[in-house]
């Protein structure tokens, strides 16, 4: 199959050949829910046809099912009606209606309307459409591609059809299928059921559970509590489609308590007997799995089974800061919980073959397509909603304050929602969320199709990290999470506003648009851009399209949208037309090219999203110590700044890498800095690069540093001090001793306390010593580090005195007091002066306060001046002898002291 490149080249578009492997027979593409579609997806030039999926669309909270598309290109569409559901079928090629199937399905209790999702099964019986009915029953028709399909037949998993019919009212009011139906390769089907009240015999239970029906109608079921072996469990979860292991032997389903949705398991059931093979209790991964995870009925999350057999399942966080939730990952037997993802909870993750993302340089065979809600004004949410590619086998630290330092899957690429959030105009950078139940992954074109609450469907090109195509479907807002799919002829299907849309190219001609700088991360305001339209003949007639192309720019704000014509350009002799500009402002620009058509070709248009940041950025990187020795810890620190006149503080992720090898990924801190340390660098020179991934305002940038790891003779450095302990103001000599079994090392020593340099590059003498004297250490405990930087081939080393740190005690003081007049006449002002001195071997001038007392009576408390003196003038002393003293309060570095008593005599006049 052909790979599409969104560039300024002439491309011929051909509809993909229909094959059985290209059929869409179940939710999320297959029973593992990987959402991979191998047919070459058509361009998003137009809405080919559409149909309502909600005939009673009151705006109520509702989830909608995915369309099913058979190998014969029959589109099967579940439709919500005023009283329940029906199934409509259409010809995928043009949307012509074929036939409808009524259902007697009854909804269980709900807040959001649960998904009504049928399935197409294949086997020795041929092709069969299964769909849910009342009372937990299932209907099917064979040969669903034909208007003369078989008459619907009804099956019951828990009893005989006759027994059900004898008490249909009782069963219909208590038993409800509440999940999508999943089929295996042999035509067996699996689904969850909800029991409300007590069901009649033989079910006679209040518990929900899971059922299996084989092609002959033989039913098996298991109750949720029995499957979990936990009396607190009694429910399945609305909307959560059972997922099958790659070999079809295990069915993965979630269960929970009827009393709280924050108590539940993920189970692995035997696909034949429904006996429990595996189970794991679901926890919020933060704080060491401290809190129970949420498994909510309003969620659309289903398990996904990856090619390596690992199982992914989205859970609600507890507490749910920003409604982000987490993506849990387990081994196939559910015994090993692996690194979680920090993106999302209310969706089914998709599998992306790593070959689809040439920008990815890691070792994982597949990546995870995910999304998260980061709702504005919710916990620590900031309204910057994203989709992402996650590397399941690499890590980062979750940047959110509520994540408690969670180690999670590394973000490889992210795409911020393209349109501002009009509900939160005062929240900077808040955007509409991605409304994805399951995406559509298209390996032949390296793209992923994902809808947004803004009413558009987007084509994320992973080769260029661009929103390469977009199509407007509805005004958006209030859209539930919806599935997307790709049919066997390349038609792209998605839902929006209660409508199913079939999207694709134009017959006979292809209209495409490319940008000279498509990467969502890279462009800043003022950068020159060229948009190139390519119009090509796909009909084989030999004509080259002529005519004009009109370029226009649409930008969205919290108050609406504005469309500006840019230019109308004639096609050249190769079918190309280009428009260049350097004046587009800092926005997400929806650039549309509209082809006029000519005598041989019809008109058509295409839209891409050009992201322009407000500011360019710079990234600086440094390392310490540099040079280093093998095995020595080296810290790399990067600082990202906006280019003037930009003033924003950049946020987001920085990736540290050597060549294509990823060393670490860190979130920028408050000062737009990020650091990581490693002791695994080998001897030699290492060119390390820090790549800043951009945020809403600042464009991407990178910076590099060369780290030299010396391979000379190893050394050992120790630190000593004298005297120890000392007093404040006393000179202390720190000595670094550098030794080696191969002789006396040469080089320099830098002395530090924490990050504070006490002395740098002190030469090592002929005996291997380097010393520095410091009289300025404050009172307290001081751990001093000596970093040796070798010369002449000597390796670096470092050591500290942490085992015997330097103790600096407060210096003792002496306080004296003097009077300006003794004796004095009553009423005569008398100035009392205290002098506080530091005792040797300390030095310096004490600071603080002195309290003057007349025996036990406080006369005044006065601060010392810069010379160690403090004075107080008294004029109200009574006649007689007064016992005057001065008490120094002490300070951080000086001890308290009190003067001898001064007798102050006051005589009569």
């Amino acid at each position: 199959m052909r790979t599409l490149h969104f560039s300024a080249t002439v491309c011929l578009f051909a509809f993909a050949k229909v094959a059985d492997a290209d059929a869409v027979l179940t939710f999320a593409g297959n029973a593992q829910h990987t959402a991979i579609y191998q047919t070459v997806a058509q361009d998003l030039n137009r809405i080919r046809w559409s149909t309502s999926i909600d005939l009673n669309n009151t705006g109520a909270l509702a989830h909608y099912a995915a369309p099913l598309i058979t190998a014969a290109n029959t589109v099967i569409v579940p439709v919500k009606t005023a009283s329940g559901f029906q199934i409509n079928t259409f010809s995928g090629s043009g949307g012509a209606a074929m036939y409808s199937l009524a259902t007697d399905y009854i909804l269980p209790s709900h807040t959001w309307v649960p998904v009504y999702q049928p399935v197409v099964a294949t086997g020795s019986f041929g092709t069969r459409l299964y769909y849910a009915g009342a009372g937990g029953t299932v209907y099917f028709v064979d040969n669903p591609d034909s208007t003369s399909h078989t008459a619907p037949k009804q099956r019951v998993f828990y009893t005989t059809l006759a027994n059900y019919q004898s008490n249909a009212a009782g069963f219909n009011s208590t038993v409800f299928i509440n999940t999508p139906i999943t089929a295996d390769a042999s035509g067996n089907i699996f689904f969850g059921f909800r029991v409300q009240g007590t069901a009649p015999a033989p079910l006679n239970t209040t518990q929900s559970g899971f059922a299996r029906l084989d092609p002959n109608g033989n039913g098996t079921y298991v109750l949720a509590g029995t499957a979990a072996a936990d009396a607190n469990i009694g429910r399945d979860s609305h909307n959560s489609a059972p997922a099958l292991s790659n070999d079809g032997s295990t069915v993965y389903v979630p269960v929970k308590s009827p009393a709280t949705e924050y108590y539940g398991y993920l189970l692995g059931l035997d696909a034949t007997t429904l006996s429990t093979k595996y189970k794991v209790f679901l926890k919020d991964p933060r704080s060491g799995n401290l809190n129970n995870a949420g498994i909510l009925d309003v969620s659309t999350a289903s398990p996904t089974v990856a090619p390596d057999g690992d199982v992914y399942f989205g859970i609600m966080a507890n507490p749910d800061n920003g409604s982000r939730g987490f993506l849990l990952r387990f081994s196939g037997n559910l015994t090993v919980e692996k690194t979680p993802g920090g993106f999302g909870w209310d969706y089914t993750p998709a599998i992306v073959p790593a070959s689809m993302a040439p920008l990815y340089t890691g070792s994982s065979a597949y990546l995870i397509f995910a999304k998260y809600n980061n709702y504005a004004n919710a916990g620590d949410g900031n309204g910057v909603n994203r989709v992402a590619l996650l590397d399941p086998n690499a890590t980062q630290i979750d940047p959110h304050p509520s994540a408690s330092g969670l180690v999670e899957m590394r973000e490889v690429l992210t795409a911020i929602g393209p349109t501002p959030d009009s509900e939160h105009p005062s929240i900077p950078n808040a955007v509409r969320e991605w409304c994805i139940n399951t995406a559509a992954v298209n390996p032949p074109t390296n793209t992923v199709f994902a809808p947004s609450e803004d009413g558009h469907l987007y084509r994320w090109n992973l080769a260029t990290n661009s929103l390469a195509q977009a199509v407007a479907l509805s005004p958006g807002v209030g859209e539930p999470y919806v599935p997307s799919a790709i049919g066997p002829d390349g038609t792209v299907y998605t839902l929006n506003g209660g409508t199913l849309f079939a999207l694709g190219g134009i017959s006979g001609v292809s209209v495409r648009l490319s940008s000279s700088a498509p990467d969502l991360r890279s462009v800043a305001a003022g950068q020159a851009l060229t948009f190139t339209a390519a119009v090509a003949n796909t009909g084989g007639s030999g004509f080259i399209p002529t005519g004009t192309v009109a370029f226009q720019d649409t930008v969205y704000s919290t108050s609406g949208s504005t469309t500006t014509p840019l230019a109308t350009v004639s096609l050249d002799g190769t079918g190309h037309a280009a428009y260049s500009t350097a004046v587009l402002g800092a926005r997400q620009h929806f650039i549309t090219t509209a082809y006029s058509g000519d005598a041989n070709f019809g008109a058509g248009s295409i839209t891409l999203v050009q992201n322009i940041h407000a500011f360019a950025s710079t990234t600086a990187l440094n390392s310490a110590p540099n040079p280093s020795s093998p095995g020595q810890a080296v810290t790399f620190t990067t600082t990202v700044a906006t280019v003037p006149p930009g003033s924003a503080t950049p946020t987001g992720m920085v990736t540290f890498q050597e060549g294509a090898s990823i060393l670490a990924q860190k979130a920028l801190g408050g000062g737009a800095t990020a650091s990581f340390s490693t002791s695994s660098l080998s001897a030699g020179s290492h060119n390390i690069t820090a790549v800043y991934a951009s945020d809403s305002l600042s464009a991407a940038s990178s910076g590099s540093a060369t780290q030299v790891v010396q391979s000379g003779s190893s050394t050992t450095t120790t630190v000593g001090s004298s005297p120890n302990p000392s007093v404040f103001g006393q000179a202390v000599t720190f000595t670094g001793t550098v030794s080696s079994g191969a002789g006396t090392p040469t080089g320099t020593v830098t002395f530090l306390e924490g990050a504070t340099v006490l002395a740098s590059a002190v030469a090592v003498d002929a005996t291997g010593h380097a010393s520095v004297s410091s009289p300025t250490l404050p009172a307290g405990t001081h751990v001093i580090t000596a970093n040796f930087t070798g010369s002449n081939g000597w390796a670096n080393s470092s050591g500290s005195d942490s085992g015997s740190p330097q103790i600096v005690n407060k210096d003792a003081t002496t306080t004296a007091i003097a009077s300006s007049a003794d004796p004095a006449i009553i009423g005569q002002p008398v100035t009392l002066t205290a002098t506080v001195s530091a005792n040797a071997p300390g030095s310096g001038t004490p600071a603080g306060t002195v309290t003057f007392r007349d025996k036990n009576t406080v006369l005044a408390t006065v601060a010392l001046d810069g010379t160690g003196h403090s004075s107080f003038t008294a004029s109200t002393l009574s006649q007689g002898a007064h016992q005057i003293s001065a008490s120094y309060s002490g300070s951080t570095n000086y001890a308290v002291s009190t003067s001898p008593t001064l007798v102050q005599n006051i005589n009569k006049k």
Side-chain angles (χ1 to χ4, degrees):
M1 294 186 177
R2 182 172 54 82
T3 299
L4 300 181
H5 299 281
F6 299 100
S7 59
T9 58
V10 177
C11 302
L12 296 180
F13 184 89
F15 289 112
K17 180 181 181 293
V18 175
D20 288 347
D22 298 326
V24 182
L25 306 182
T26 188
F27 166 76
N30 54 35
Q32 290 71 44
H33 306 149
T34 62
I36 295 175
Y37 302 87
Q38 293 291 354
T39 301
V40 177
Q42 296 184 34
D43 290 324
L44 300 183
N45 293 114
R46 62 182 178 126
I47 298 172
R48 296 184 58 229
W49 58 273
S50 64
T51 185
S52 175
I53 55 172
D54 194 339
L55 304 182
N56 185 34
N57 193 350
T58 62
L61 306 178
H63 291 302
Y64 298 107
L68 306 177
I69 308 102
T70 70
N73 208 19
T74 299
V75 182
I76 301 168
V77 183
V79 177
K80 186 165 75 74
T81 67
S83 58
F85 288 85
Q86 68 186 40
I87 294 174
N88 294 340
T89 59
F90 303 87
S91 169
S93 60
M98 294 174 59
Y99 62 88
S100 294
L101 296 170
T103 80
D104 58 4
Y105 178 76
I106 300 171
L107 282 165
S109 297
H110 58 272
T111 50
W112 284 73
V113 174
V115 168
Y116 181 79
Q117 179 70 68
V119 70
V120 173
T122 59
S124 58
F125 50 83
T127 302
R128 178 174 291 175
L129 170 64
Y130 285 101
Y131 53 100
T137 67
V138 176
Y139 290 87
F140 73 88
V141 297
D142 288 328
N143 193 21
D145 290 305
S146 173
T147 55
S148 58
H149 56 77
T150 62
K153 295 181 181 179
Q154 190 176 24
R155 296 281 173 82
V156 188
F157 68 85
Y158 51 83
T159 187
T160 65
L161 182 59
N163 190 53
Y164 160 77
Q165 291 172 337
S166 68
N167 192 6
F171 287 111
N172 291 350
S173 64
T174 56
V175 185
F176 308 85
I177 293 176
N178 66 325
T179 74
I181 304 173
T182 301
D184 67 13
S186 299
N188 303 297
I189 63 170
F190 305 86
F191 52 88
F193 62 90
R194 177 67 59 89
V195 175
Q196 295 174 189
T198 301
L203 200 55
N204 61 318
T205 179
T206 60
Q207 282 196 43
S208 303
F210 302 94
R212 174 187 188 271
L213 277 171
D214 71 16
N216 296 319
N218 299 306
T220 305
Y221 69 94
V222 64
L223 300 180
T226 302
D230 187 336
N232 294 307
I233 297 297
R235 281 190 176 176
D236 69 335
S237 195
H238 284 345
N239 310 309
S240 189
L244 287 169
S245 60
N246 291 310
D247 64 2
S249 65
T250 305
V251 182
Y252 296 100
V253 292
V255 293
K256 59 191 177 186
S257 167
T260 174
E261 293 186 299
Y262 288 86
Y263 184 98
Y265 297 83
L266 182 64
L267 305 179
L269 308 179
D270 184 281
T272 301
T273 66
L274 297 187
S275 61
T276 302
K277 298 168 64 177
Y278 322 118
K279 73 173 182 177
V280 60
F281 194 84
L282 297 176
K283 288 279 193 175
D284 183 319
R286 295 172 297 179
S287 304
N289 287 349
L290 179 64
N291 295 330
N292 294 350
I295 312 163
L296 308 190
D297 269 355
V298 297
S299 170
T300 62
S302 298
T304 294
V305 179
D308 58 7
D310 282 357
V311 183
Y312 295 81
F313 184 63
I315 55 92
M316 184 57 155
N318 181 17
D320 63 341
N321 297 283
S323 288
R324 287 188 308 277
F326 296 98
L327 179 63
L328 303 186
R329 180 191 184 191
F330 302 96
S331 59
N333 60 9
L334 306 184
T335 59
V336 179
E337 183 168 0
K338 302 184 180 183
T339 304
F343 274 62
W345 64 280
D346 188 8
Y347 74 101
T348 301
I351 302 298
V352 177
S355 59
M356 287 180 58
L359 297 171
Y360 173 66
T361 59
S363 59
S364 295
Y366 68 86
L367 305 173
I368 300 295
F369 173 84
K371 69 107 180 178
Y372 69 23
N373 305 330
N374 198 15
Y375 291 141
N377 291 333
D380 60 5
N382 59 11
V384 182
N385 301 303
R386 302 172 184 259
V387 291
L389 281 188
L390 306 181
D391 186 341
N393 299 309
T395 61
Q396 65 182 38
I397 303 299
D398 192 302
H400 297 94
S402 63
S404 305
L406 177 70
V407 177
E408 64 188 11
M409 299 179 203
R410 184 176 81 85
E411 300 169 18
V412 176
L413 294 174
T414 67
I416 297 172
T419 51
D421 188 349
S422 59
E423 294 182 57
H424 298 285
S426 63
I427 304 296
N429 309 317
V431 293
R432 287 293 181 189
E433 65 177 295
W434 297 90
C435 287
I436 305 162
N437 181 354
T438 175
V441 177
N442 194 224
T445 64
N446 293 335
T447 56
V448 179
F449 294 88
S452 168
E453 192 186 28
D454 66 11
H456 289 76
L457 177 73
Y458 295 93
R459 185 177 200 148
W460 188 16
N461 186 321
L462 304 182
T464 56
N465 188 31
S466 63
L467 296 180
Q469 296 180 358
V471 60
L473 306 172
S474 77
V477 184
E479 176 69 13
Y481 300 152
V482 297
S484 299
I486 301 170
D489 63 354
T491 299
V492 180
Y493 294 90
T494 196
L495 314 180
N496 199 285
T499 301
L500 170 71
F501 293 92
L503 310 167
I506 307 163
S507 178
V509 65
S510 101
V511 179
R512 292 182 178 164
L513 179 63
S514 64
S515 166
S516 59
D519 195 313
L520 294 167
R521 304 167 296 185
S522 64
V523 180
Q527 181 173 334
L529 295 167
T530 297
F531 299 101
T532 302
V535 184
N537 177 358
T538 63
S541 62
F543 292 104
I544 296 176
T546 60
T548 61
V549 170
F551 294 88
Q552 67 180 35
D553 175 21
T554 300
V555 295
Y556 291 84
S557 68
T558 56
S559 59
S561 64
T562 302
T563 298
T564 303
L566 300 175
T568 299
V569 182
S570 296
L571 291 175
D572 64 15
T574 66
H576 292 78
Y579 167 75
S580 297
T581 180
V583 298
L584 295 180
R587 291 289 185 103
Q588 297 266 22
H589 294 263
F590 288 68
I591 305 296
T592 298
T593 181
Y595 171 52
S596 64
D598 62 13
N600 298 305
F601 301 100
S605 66
I606 196 76
T607 299
L608 62 75
V609 179
Q610 179 67 58
N611 185 34
I612 299 181
H613 295 84
F615 313 117
S617 72
T618 59
T619 297
L621 179 65
N622 61 67
S623 61
N626 192 6
S628 61
S629 58
Q632 184 177 12
V634 178
T635 298
F636 294 89
T637 301
T638 187
T639 302
V640 183
T642 56
V643 174
S647 59
T649 299
T651 61
M653 290 291 177
V654 173
T655 303
F656 298 87
Q657 58 191 70
E658 182 174 11
S661 177
I662 306 299
L663 304 179
Q665 185 158 294
K666 301 285 185 177
L668 290 175
T673 64
S675 299
F676 95 100
S677 297
T678 179
S679 57
S680 62
L681 296 178
S682 60
S685 294
H686 298 265
N687 187 39
I688 309 300
T689 302
V691 180
Y692 170 54
S694 82
D695 63 9
S696 297
L697 297 176
S698 303
S701 58
S702 64
S704 297
T706 299
Q707 175 67 32
V708 177
V709 181
Q710 296 174 325
S711 58
S713 300
S714 63
T715 63
T716 301
T717 299
T718 59
V719 183
S721 61
S722 179
N724 190 8
S726 62
V727 298
F728 175 75
Q730 181 180 9
V732 177
T733 299
F734 295 98
T735 299
T737 301
V738 186
S739 59
S740 173
T744 302
T746 59
T748 61
V749 173
T750 296
F751 295 88
L752 305 96
E753 181 176 13
T756 301
V757 176
L758 303 181
S760 60
V762 180
V764 175
D765 64 20
T767 65
H769 296 87
S771 298
V772 61
S773 181
S774 173
T776 59
L777 294 176
T781 300
H782 300 268
V783 176
I784 307 301
T785 299
N787 290 333
F788 170 66
T789 301
S791 61
N792 302 317
W794 290 101
N796 298 348
S797 59
S798 64
S800 75
D801 62 357
S802 57
S804 180
Q806 176 66 38
I807 305 298
V808 179
N809 295 319
K810 293 184 178 183
D811 190 14
T813 60
T814 299
T815 300
I817 189 169
S819 170
S820 63
D822 185 27
I825 305 300
I826 191 169
Q828 177 183 350
V830 176
T831 298
L832 301 171
T833 301
T835 302
V836 183
S837 305
N839 292 357
S843 63
T845 302
T849 62
V850 172
T851 298
F852 295 89
R853 289 182 173 85
D854 182 359
K855 199 171 184 180
N856 296 323
T857 301
V858 174
L859 299 176
T861 298
V862 183
L864 290 170
D865 63 16
T867 65
H869 294 86
S870 178
S871 297
F872 164 69
T873 300
S875 58
T876 60
L877 295 176
S878 61
Q879 179 184 345
H882 295 266
Q883 299 181 39
I884 306 298
S885 65
S887 297
Y888 170 52
S889 63
S891 66
T892 301
N893 296 309
Y894 293 95
V896 300
S897 59
T898 299
S899 70
T901 299
L902 167 72
V903 177
Q904 174 68 49
N905 295 294
I906 304 297
N907 297 332
K908 294 181 179 180
K909 291 184 178 180

